[in-house]
Amino acid sequence: MMPRKTSLLVTAALTAGALAAGGLASPASAGSRGGFAPVPLPFFWPNNSLYDVAAASPDSVWIAGNQGELVVPGPIPGTGQSIPGNPVVRRWKDARWVEYDLQNLSSRGTITDVDAAGPEDVWITGPKYGPGDPATTAPYAARFTGSRFEQVALPSGARAANLQARADGVWVGTERDVYRRTGDTWTHITAIPDMQQYASYIRADDDIWFLGTVSRTDQTLVAHHWDGHSWQSVPVHEPVPGTGFTDVIALSPTDAWATGISYRTSPASPVLMHWDGTAWTGVAPPPGLNALTRIVEGGDGTLWALGHSLDEPAKPGLLRYSGGTWERVPTTAVPNRSNIYATALAVVPGTGALWTLGSVNIGGPVVLTDGP
């Protein structure tokens, strides 16, 4: 699930191949999550990547990415041309991966986001590449109908589509505006403030966050909040120099959390920030991580944060918010790998099982779960 949109700079850094691994873990209680085991992946063409995971039930877990990208070398090292590959969307159902047709996107595309509003109500988005220049793209969105994904027309003139779908609503952020899905049309909610966007979250029509920097050249952190009437620029107390946001989630108008990374420290530093209704302030995460890439909420209200483990790099870095404090959750190492950079996380409704994915130092990508 990607109910908020992370920085494309982070997403673009993920490349991988296919993993063939053992069976799944046995069920774990909510208090002992993190016993991850690899989920065997289907065949993917070489040069494949997975970017997102979403879950609506044990039989409706979805992964998204691409496969088969080709690079034609140029006459000078470092030059050449990339030929886009094919989109990847797979559903874990009945203990196997199921593939569905994507209307008008059989090739030359990438699915970067999958959101499961319900077991049979799933939305996907990503870039569709033009027939000539791979740099020419258009946003693609589609909705699962039970047998295939049918393309959904986006708001007129949209050159980007950051989609967010939950049971209580479907929204899309373009490069300039936010819309809500009303029936079969898009209703305009508000224009987006002028800024360099890195993470956003829509909790409701009157509770929207956009986090980032002033511009590409001015890296001063900014946070803008929409209350249904106007945008407010709120204080951001940068906890680590060079902070970059990777994710954000809002629990109420006065309670929100954001994750990030700072590359200006050595090693890199994980960033965890909290909005208390007055300002965004840094919160010291448990030691041992050097990146935080995702934050999600489980059905029981538990918050989970995902990142990279510096002290145990073969294990996904996992944090849990419990009793008003963040605690490190022990996780299981990826078999036969010495490093994993985990970037997506989903909680299965009802069971609380966690699914995560990321790239590894040899081969990849990998998909892991601590549930049945």
Side-chain angles (χ1 to χ4, degrees):
M1 176 183 64
M2 187 181 280
R4 78 292 301 161
K5 304 298 163 254
T6 59
S7 167
L8 293 180
L9 297 177
V10 175
T11 302
L14 309 178
T15 56
L19 173 71
L24 304 186
S26 59
S29 67
S32 59
R33 291 297 177 197
F36 290 113
V39 182
L41 288 177
F43 171 80
F44 291 140
W45 291 104
N47 294 333
N48 54 78
S49 302
L50 293 177
Y51 297 121
D52 200 17
V53 60
S57 75
D59 261 352
S60 185
V61 179
W62 301 78
I63 56 175
N66 64 9
Q67 61 175 329
E69 182 183 52
L70 298 177
V71 177
V72 180
I76 302 174
T79 66
Q81 181 182 12
S82 295
I83 300 176
N86 300 331
V88 166
V89 179
R90 300 289 189 275
R91 176 186 188 174
W92 184 255
K93 183 179 181 181
D94 297 328
R96 65 186 183 93
W97 293 108
V98 182
E99 181 179 6
Y100 300 94
D101 289 338
L102 310 183
Q103 184 185 24
N104 297 328
L105 194 68
S106 59
S107 62
R108 299 183 66 83
T110 298
I111 302 302
T112 56
D113 178 22
V114 55
D115 288 355
E120 306 299 322
D121 187 8
V122 181
W123 294 71
I124 57 174
T125 54
K128 180 178 182 179
Y129 301 97
D133 184 1
T136 303
T137 64
Y140 174 88
R143 186 179 188 180
F144 185 59
T145 63
S147 59
R148 71 166 185 167
F149 282 88
E150 294 188 356
Q151 186 173 7
V152 175
L154 291 164
S156 178
R159 293 181 295 173
N162 290 335
L163 189 76
Q164 181 178 310
R166 296 193 308 271
D168 58 348
V170 177
W171 296 266
V172 67
T174 68
E175 68 278 11
R176 295 181 178 178
D177 299 276
V178 176
Y179 299 84
R180 182 188 179 113
R181 189 73 172 174
T182 305
D184 292 330
T185 62
W186 296 104
T187 300
H188 186 263
I189 300 298
T190 179
I192 300 172
D194 185 20
M195 63 180 294
Q196 178 66 29
Q197 303 172 25
Y198 283 97
S200 64
Y201 188 82
I202 304 172
R203 193 185 69 86
D205 291 353
D206 58 357
D207 191 6
I208 302 173
W209 282 101
F210 276 84
L211 277 60
T213 59
V214 172
S215 66
R216 287 184 181 273
T217 56
D218 186 344
Q219 295 298 295
T220 303
L221 296 184
V222 293
H224 295 286
H225 181 253
W226 172 257
D227 62 6
H229 302 284
S230 63
W231 285 99
Q232 303 296 323
S233 179
V234 304
V236 181
H237 302 312
E238 188 171 18
V240 181
T243 292
F245 293 112
T246 57
D247 205 0
V248 59
I249 187 171
L251 309 177
S252 77
T254 58
D255 187 10
W257 291 87
T259 57
I261 308 168
S262 173
Y263 291 108
R264 292 190 188 175
T265 62
S266 183
S269 302
V271 173
L272 185 61
M273 300 189 72
H274 182 238
W275 164 255
D276 62 2
T278 302
W280 283 94
T281 305
V283 175
L289 306 182
N290 65 341
L292 285 172
T293 57
R294 190 62 57 88
I295 185 168
V296 300
E297 182 184 19
D300 61 355
T302 300
L303 290 179
W304 301 89
L306 179 72
H308 181 260
S309 175
L310 183 64
D311 53 3
E312 297 178 300
K315 301 179 179 181
L318 186 65
L319 305 179
R320 177 176 55 217
Y321 189 63
S322 177
T325 60
W326 286 94
E327 60 184 9
R328 183 85 177 266
V329 178
T331 58
T332 306
V334 180
N336 305 315
R337 301 294 184 267
S338 60
N339 189 71
I340 177 174
Y341 195 87
T343 54
L345 183 66
V347 184
V348 180
T351 70
L354 301 176
W355 284 68
T356 186
L357 59 81
S359 56
V360 290
N361 57 312
I362 302 174
V366 295
V367 174
L368 310 169
T369 184
D370 66 3

